Amino acid sequence: AVMLNFPDAAMVKKVVHSLPRVGVGTNFGLPQTRRISLATPKQLFKASNMTQRWQRREISNFEYLMFLNTISGRTFNDLNQYPVFPWVITNYDSGELDLTLPSNFRDLSKPIGALNPKRAAFFSDRYESWEDEQVPKFHYGTHYSTSSFTMMWLLRIEPFTTFFLNFQGGKFDHADRTFSSVSRAWRNCQRDTSDVKELIPEFYYLPEMFVNANSYNLGVMEDGTVVSHVELPPWAKSPEEFVRINRLALESEFVSCQLHQWIDLIFGYKQQGPEATRALNVFYYLTYEGAVNLSSINDPMLREAVESQIRSFGQTPCQLLIEPHPPRSSAMQVTPLMFTEQMQQDVIMVLKFPSNSPVTHVAANTQPGLTSPAIITVTANRLFAVNKWHGLTGHQSSTVQDQQYQLPVEIDPLIASNVGSHRRQISDLLDQSIQISLQCFVITADNRFILLCGFWDKSFRVYSTDSGKLTQIVFGHRDVVTCLARSESYIGGDCYVLSGSRDATLLLWYWNGKYNSIGENPGKFTTPRAILTGHDCEVTCASVCAELGLVVSGCKEGPCLIHSMNGDLLRTLEGPERCLRPRLIQSSTEGNCMIYYDKGQFCLFSVNGKLLGHMEVEDSIKAMLLSRDGQYLLTGGDGGVVSVWQVHNLKQLFTYPGCDAGIRSMAMSHDQR
């Protein structure tokens, strides 16, 4: 991303009006309009539906905090206004961490400076006894977020190492002042009167920040300790485990019940004014938005001095609300997900299709707001069915007319009656050498189109699910297309489509939801967004994640590759010796990548290429799914059994009752229930 810093609001307005309408990110439930691009943080907060989605537990605490940070002007592109996240754990010393004990969690209703009563008394006295005509009273002369703190936390990874060295005049800081231990950092911000640091989002997703992978010489402390990797609490055996447990704590019930109080302090009504005074939450006046009007300072020297003062004191986020933030609704009101408890051990329903051809692809696009939520199935002889989704009755989302229909899925009437099945048959011939598998198909997010590959003319094609008619033929590869994948979808149905081929390349295309085609004009020749090279034989499987901007792909023989969506080759994923032929790939937005190789081998990689786990299973697996948060894995294969696994330790949680035949494809309803 590139950040542009304009001199004033008038210039911003001009630029917004010269650009296409983009808004501020469609996943915040905000329309893509110029009005939204020019809205204030308070207006964005009011116009968005994210608070309601967080209350209903449709999004995580992490996602909600990222949203609040983003609309209040915090960004990864500005070290002075870097996103702020709370410390949530208080125990960094014991060998085991029990996340059911309240004493292991911080009180989120108080700012960092008020957690230790003795130190809180010191700050309170300073405020009460402050006498200065020019400078208003404050509790803290330092801030919870400054550019130097951000560089200190991220010192071990580029580009922050370089920023830090430039900031420090070319050398690292004194070893005793360097971030070298999580436990010590927590202790300091409980005791030291000049340390009230909060955390940054990386503590909840980036294990690499704790590793001195480039072997920088960070010096030796007074007591003789050499500073290298960050010392982790005893309860975390690896950086990955520390991040996973820290994130579990952030998403825990203790934090969910109190998070609105921390939001009040950082973004809300306790940020300024008498409520901030009562909450022991007043910072140096220059940290607040609007404390000085820089454009009214004409003297360049004076302006530079004030700017540098603001840089060193830190900046408080824009205030988003002036009344208390609503709490999150109780977890008791939410049906548990299918992985957590053994929810429904019994089979709820069986759909039997008249065709005797095996079902090779299932897609469940059941998200709320779709005009026709459905489960789409396609058989090996390319007979497809659009089976209406009613959901589970008694669930919050089911409407009155759904209540009458007792089963979650209604079989496609055209298939059941065998009358209109010509509207459900794709009769175009595929290349004879193609074995039909779930990877040959992609269903668009609105259930209206099927994309199919494997044609002798090296194309892949788009068909309407309503009429069964061919709507587009897409050429680009030099040999038969062997697999397709699509990214998650945006408002309006836009997404990326990935095609892999025997020509050993992958092409990345843009599916336009408005025109229902690859590219903007189905009749015209379309060009791919990117060409991905690096494999040396037929591509067999691939996955694309738009949120992370990454493509992971595997070929018939050889390692899997990670590319950026611009086509740059970023990493090679080397598995253990028996992991040679990748067959299935799933990646999650949390940065996990699960690869199944033939002969029962599974490998779990981080997006940065680290092998995190490996297991072998008896079954020959034909389908797998990752939960949205990347914590659970579902597998199914020739044995006919669906198994649920915990991803971080590859432990099997339970299996569903066996099916009468092998499993070829799986899909999960949008609510993952």
Side-chain angles (χ1 to χ4, degrees), residues 481-525:
V481 181
T482 45
C483 64
L484 292 174
R486 79 164 168 85
S487 70
E488 64 280 34
S489 213
Y490 297 107
I491 287 182
D494 289 15
C495 66
Y496 289 95
V497 170
L498 189 65
S499 59
S501 160
R502 280 192 189 143
D503 66 11
T505 69
L506 296 113
L507 300 179
L508 186 68
W509 310 84
Y510 196 72
W511 172 263
N512 190 308
K514 187 175 168 192
Y515 298 101
N516 294 314
S517 66
I518 299 279
E520 294 196 355
N521 190 332
K524 286 203 24 213
F525 183 72

Side-chain angles (χ1 to χ4, degrees), residues 36-73:
I36 287 293
S37 294
L38 294 167
T40 64
K42 278 195 180 85
Q43 289 166 335
L44 290 174
F45 180 79
K46 275 205 162 58
S48 163
N49 63 358
M50 291 291 274
T51 304
Q52 293 74 20
R53 288 181 62 200
W54 173 73
Q55 285 182 281
R56 293 195 299 264
R57 294 176 181 256
E58 288 168 21
I59 56 171
S60 64
N61 290 337
F62 182 91
E63 289 170 290
Y64 188 54
L65 288 175
M66 276 314 305
F67 159 73
L68 295 174
N69 272 289
T70 304
I71 63 166
S72 71

Side-chain angles (χ1 to χ4, degrees), residues 482 500-506 534-540 554-559 580 582:
T482 45
S501 160
R502 280 192 189 143
D503 66 11
T505 69
L506 296 113
H535 290 295
D536 44 18
C537 56
E538 171 182 330
V539 177
T540 53
C555 63
K556 219 166 185 167
E557 306 258 333
L580 295 172

